[in-house]
Amino acid sequence: MSLKTYTTAAATDNAASLFWHPSMVYKAVGEVDVFERDNDPQFYGSILSSLTRATGIKKRLDNLGVVALVEDTAA
């Protein structure tokens, strides 16, 4: 799998933040997988890493308790 990284924002990109009330969303968090490489000579020590899958959805169809604050496109 090849990943593409983006270092600059496109002219059509908008910054956004999500806000929610904890009692207005469902959440699911999976198990935590921990990976380790002890005494790796390439990195002069041990490497630790972890992976967790998570998701969340709204409880209500009317979007009450969940807000997306999106940057305006006007400069």
Side-chain angles (χ1 to χ4, degrees):
M1 175 172 74
S2 145
L3 298 176
K4 183 174 182 180
T5 58
Y6 297 94
T7 56
T8 58
T12 56
D13 289 350
N14 295 46
S17 296
L18 296 176
F19 300 90
W20 63 89
H21 189 277
S23 65
M24 297 294 183
V25 294
Y26 294 113
K27 72 173 183 175
V29 179
E31 64 184 40
V32 177
D33 293 326
V34 178
F35 309 98
E36 62 181 315
R37 216 178 328 168
D38 287 331
N39 300 320
D40 188 325
Q42 182 178 1
F43 294 98
Y44 301 104
S46 299
I47 300 174
L48 297 173
S49 169
S50 63
L51 172 70
T52 302
R53 293 192 64 164
T55 188
I57 60 171
K58 301 177 285 188
K59 285 185 178 180
R60 299 175 58 113
L61 295 176
D62 61 2
N63 299 327
L64 189 65
V66 179
V67 175
L69 182 63
V70 182
E71 177 184 32
D72 191 1
T73 56

